């Protein structure tokens, strides 16, 4: 087991006092430059303390009205293998990640390749709150108020070429602070088809629960694709590449028979180790049935018309 110094970003309880402390910690983690970036969106920021609040933001009508998973669970029960393979490891270890300065290269088959500074990225499009379910292939799920804007707003800026058919996401990897053991082929990579990446549900995500993203949740920027299993949503992204061919992805490389490229939430196609027909919402006892495409079938089923989702799992 990897031993790293613990950090102070793991919240204990959700009390007003703790929310205050969290805000202060996030401010330290984010640096004051974020304050400036966020301020541009939320108007006057009366004090540095308020600056890590990315809201109040308009709530997207694409949000679910299901009960939200408590902040504490969202930030202490994580998959972020670079910081350890146990659920509690990322909250303990990810404090070492320096999220400022940070840049994201958007490159490949695009007319206008560009490197975005994280603070420019935040200002690229209006941030909104999107309450989405996150369903892990391990058959647990959460409901999280994410903050972000459609990934399409970013992709349009770089002008994808006609030959671009897929989008690859590359996560940050630093062996000095992350797992060196090749559990996965670091850096973590994921991919989407371009039409999936451009879909209005696909969120470039900069925060949750009104705050900048905690490190363990993929600070400073990750993608959230609500109709796919959690592992499609790469954390701490440093590069986004538009490519012609289906890009290799970390979990598919590690276990191709278990993790396909598409990884759509599909109760009819089981994972060899976990049934996908039902799930346990974190904080609940009884399992609930998993809906097709995680409940977003109406919006996304047409993307897969004519495809055999058993073969393209
Ligand atoms: N870089 C990176 N991104 C990652 C992972 C990871 O290990 N490394 N795990 C994935 C998996 S399996 C899931 S379920 C989600 C978990 O997101 P959360 O911890 O914010 O709930 O992140 C995904 N993104
Ligand atoms: Mo996952």
């Amino acid at each position: 087991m990897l031993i790293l110094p613990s950090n102070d970003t793991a919240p204990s309880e959700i009390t007003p006092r703790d929310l205050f402390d969290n805000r202060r910690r996030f401010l330290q983690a984010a640096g004051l430059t974020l304050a400036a970036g966020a301020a541009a969106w939320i108007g006057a920021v009366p004090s540095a303390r308020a600056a890590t609040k990315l809201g109040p933001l308009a709530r997207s009508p694409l949000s679910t009205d299901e009960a939200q998973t408590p902040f504490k669970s969202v930030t202490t029960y994580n998959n972020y293998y670079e910081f350890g393979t146990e659920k509690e490891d990322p909250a303990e270890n990810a404090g070492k990640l320096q999220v400022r300065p940070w840049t994201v290269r958007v490159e490949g088959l695009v007319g206008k390749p560009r490197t975005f500074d994280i603070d420019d990225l935040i200002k690229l499009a209006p941030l909104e709150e999107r309450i989405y379910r996150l369903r892990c292939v391990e058959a647990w799920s959460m409901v999280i108020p994410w903050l972000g804007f459609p990934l399409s707003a970013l992709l349009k800026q770089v002008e994808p070429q006609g030959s671009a058919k897929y989008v690859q996401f590359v996560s940050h990897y630093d062996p000095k602070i992350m797992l060196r053991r090749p559990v996965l082929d670091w850096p973590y990579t994921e991919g989407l088809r371009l039409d999936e990446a451009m879909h209005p549900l696909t969120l470039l995500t900069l925060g949750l629960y009104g705050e900048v993203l905690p490190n363990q949740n993929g600070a400073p920027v990750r993608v959230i694709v609500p109709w796919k299993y959690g592992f499609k949503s790469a954390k701490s992204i440093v590069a986004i590449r538009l490519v012609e061919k289906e890009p290799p992805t970390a979990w598919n490389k590690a276990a191709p028979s278990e993790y396909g490229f598409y990884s759509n939430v599909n109760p009819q196609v089981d994972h060899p180790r976990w049934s996908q027909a039902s799930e346990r919402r974190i904080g609940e006892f009884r399992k609930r049935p998993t809906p097709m495409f995680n409940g977003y079938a109406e919006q996304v089923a047409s993307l897969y018309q004519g495809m055999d989702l058993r073969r393209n799992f």
Side-chain angles (χ1 to χ4, degrees), residues 7 47 62 69 112 124 127 136 155-156 171-172 191 194 231 235 262 264 284 287 289 296 305:
N7 77 72
S47 70
L62 296 166
T69 304
K112 292 186 174 163
L124 193 78
L127 292 174
C136 181
L155 295 177
K156 280 175 194 158
S171 291
H172 178 63
L194 184 59
F231 64 88
K235 294 181 167 182
Y262 284 93
N264 293 315
E284 290 180 359
K287 287 197 170 182
Y296 302 97
Q305 218 139 48

Side-chain angles (χ1 to χ4, degrees), residues 39-59:
W41 280 109
I42 64 179
V45 175
S47 70
R49 176 155 58 89
T52 49
K53 265 231 57 61
L54 291 174
L57 302 171
R59 177 171 295 179

Side-chain angles (χ1 to χ4, degrees), residues 79 135-138 140 229-231:
N79 273 343
R135 197 221 190 261
C136 181
V137 71
E138 297 163 321
W140 51 264
Y229 295 118
F231 64 88

Side-chain angles (χ1 to χ4, degrees), residues 137 231 249 251-252 254-261 263 271 273-274 313:
V137 71
F231 64 88
T249 62
W251 285 100
N252 180 256
S257 61
E258 298 191 17
Y259 309 102
F261 177 80
S263 303
H271 181 278
R273 285 182 285 144
W274 300 283
F313 61 88

Side-chain angles (χ1 to χ4, degrees), residues 225-247:
V225 194
W227 71 94
K228 292 178 181 272
Y229 295 118
F231 64 88
K232 295 303 284 184
S233 59
K235 294 181 167 182
S236 307
I237 293 169
V238 293
I240 299 177
R241 282 188 200 126
L242 285 93
V243 296
E244 192 173 348
K245 299 215 165 67
E246 190 180 284

